Amino acid sequence: MLKKFLGFGLGLRTNHYNDVIEQKPDVDWFEIISENYMVAGGKPRYYLDQIRENYPIVMHGVSMSIGSTDPLNMEYLTKLKTLIADVQPEWFSDHLCFTSVGGVNSHDLLPLPYTEESLTHVVQRIKQVQDFMGRQMLMENVSSYLTYKTDEMNEWQFYREVCEQADCRMLLDINNIYVSARNHDFDAMEYLRSLNPQRVQQFHLAGHSDFGDYVVDTHDHDVPDPVWQLYKEALKLFGPVSTMIERDANIPSFADLTAELNIARNIAEQHIPNIRSQIEA
């Protein structure tokens, strides 16, 4: 899969279905949560089919549990493969984490231990998924609130090695880097500078809740200034990368969300001349 620049997109949320269908807003693409559309028919697929006629779509999952020691859920993967065949997304992604233990779903994106054993395990599973799907996937870095005493490398070394060895792409969540950097007191710029620009396929931008001595990735606020600042640095390092605003709670009006997306556009245009002309159909 070649690195493709789609421009500036939004996470598609049910609150905004009618806005998108009726207004056909100036948004370059939308990201869907894969699990919300895995059942054929029904209202979600009805709206998605209409939106798909006018916009590129990328798919983002939250339940693959790629790092778990549980067996890969082939029923889940089969449904995901069917949805990919139906939607024909530009790409699909999930999180570099685990969500299930002993068959019990925690419904949280839990960070992996950064060890050689864990690296080998998750690389093998990503390769299995990519072989089954017949295409590359993107892995997203998660925010975290704990570390393991057994860690043998830092997060960015682990993330880079996973993507290189599995030959997958990166969905780089700028907010998650900021959140984890604050919680674990590391240099976010060292994280960014360590990554291979050719692997970075998509950016997530989001807000968080700041409690002073720790930060929680809540996706319920506007993108704050420190995340915008980190986004500027990421643009300098990685060039044009498909960028979207991710909002999952306290969701604003569609007009307010597109206004926030325009901030991302303006920042990118200031740092990369003629970036809009580089959007690929």
Side-chain angles (χ1 to χ4, degrees):
M1 180 173 68
L2 296 174
K3 184 174 178 177
K4 186 173 184 178
F5 178 54
L6 296 178
F8 301 87
L10 290 173
L12 183 63
R13 301 296 180 259
T14 56
N15 317 40
H16 300 143
Y17 281 156
N18 288 327
D19 294 295
V20 177
I21 291 169
E22 294 169 5
Q23 300 173 19
K24 294 184 176 57
D26 182 23
V27 175
D28 297 322
W29 52 280
F30 287 94
E31 180 189 85
I32 63 170
I33 302 298
S34 305
E35 288 81 0
N36 292 344
Y37 301 90
M38 282 185 170
V39 176
K43 281 191 175 180
R45 292 291 288 270
Y46 168 77
Y47 288 113
L48 176 59
D49 289 345
Q50 294 182 67
I51 293 166
R52 180 69 185 92
E53 291 178 2
N54 296 300
Y55 295 95
I57 298 289
V58 306
M59 288 171 42
H60 185 51
V62 296
S63 301
M64 191 176 290
S65 195
I66 193 71
S68 176
T69 53
D70 291 344
L72 285 171
N73 184 336
M74 296 311 298
E75 181 181 356
Y76 171 87
L77 292 178
T78 300
K79 289 181 180 177
L80 184 63
K81 188 173 184 177
T82 299
L83 183 63
I84 289 172
D86 290 348
V87 173
Q88 293 293 308
E90 297 292 333
W91 54 75
F92 76 105
S93 63
D94 209 294
H95 299 82
L96 185 57
C97 70
F98 67 102
T99 58
S100 65
V101 181
V104 177
N105 194 336
S106 71
H107 300 289
D108 277 318
L109 304 174
L110 303 170
L112 291 163
Y114 304 135
T115 64
E116 291 291 346
E117 182 182 20
S118 176
L119 175 64
T120 301
H121 173 72
V122 75
V123 164
Q124 182 264 335
R125 284 165 65 96
I126 294 171
K127 286 181 176 179
Q128 273 185 268
V129 170
Q130 292 184 143
D131 288 345
F132 180 72
M133 297 295 175
R135 58 195 295 172
Q136 266 186 319
M137 68 178 299
L138 279 60
M139 296 307 307
E140 178 183 348
N141 58 300
V142 296
S143 57
S144 65
Y145 312 93
L146 59 83
T147 57
Y148 296 89
K149 292 180 179 178
T150 54
D151 283 351
E152 297 166 353
M153 60 192 92
N154 56 42
E155 179 184 330
W156 49 97
Q157 290 169 332
F158 184 83
Y159 186 29
R160 182 186 62 215
E161 282 305 308
V162 165
C163 294
E164 293 294 336
Q165 294 186 29
D167 191 23
C168 64
R169 301 279 177 159
M170 292 178 168
L171 194 176
L172 195 59
D173 191 308
I174 305 295
N175 179 60
N176 286 352
I177 294 176
Y178 176 81
V179 168
S180 295
R182 282 279 304 278
N183 290 339
H184 303 307
D185 194 27
F186 64 70
D187 182 357
M189 282 306 301
E190 184 180 358
Y191 193 127
L192 290 179
R193 281 193 289 263
S194 76
L195 304 179
N196 177 356
Q198 295 306 313
R199 295 280 174 194
V200 181
Q201 180 83 18
Q202 183 184 338
F203 288 150
H204 270 174
L205 297 170
H208 53 254
S209 295
D210 191 332
F211 297 95
D213 55 352
Y214 67 97
V215 183
V216 178
D217 178 33
T218 47
H219 292 186
D220 61 353
H221 290 75
D222 292 347
V223 178
D225 188 60
V227 176
W228 287 128
Q229 294 303 320
L230 202 55
Y231 176 53
K232 293 175 185 176
E233 299 301 326
L235 288 167
K236 294 175 189 173
L237 289 168
F238 305 122
V241 173
S242 303
T243 298
M244 63 157 273
I245 305 289
E246 191 178 34
R247 190 72 172 252
D248 294 307
N250 192 25
I251 296 176
S253 70
F254 194 76
D256 287 347
L257 206 53
T258 52
E260 191 176 26
L261 185 63
N262 284 334
I263 296 174
R265 279 185 171 133
N266 292 336
I267 289 173
E269 286 169 352
Q270 289 169 12
H271 288 79
I272 304 173
N274 303 315
I275 190 170
R276 298 282 295 163
S277 67
Q278 299 182 48
I279 295 175
E280 300 172 65

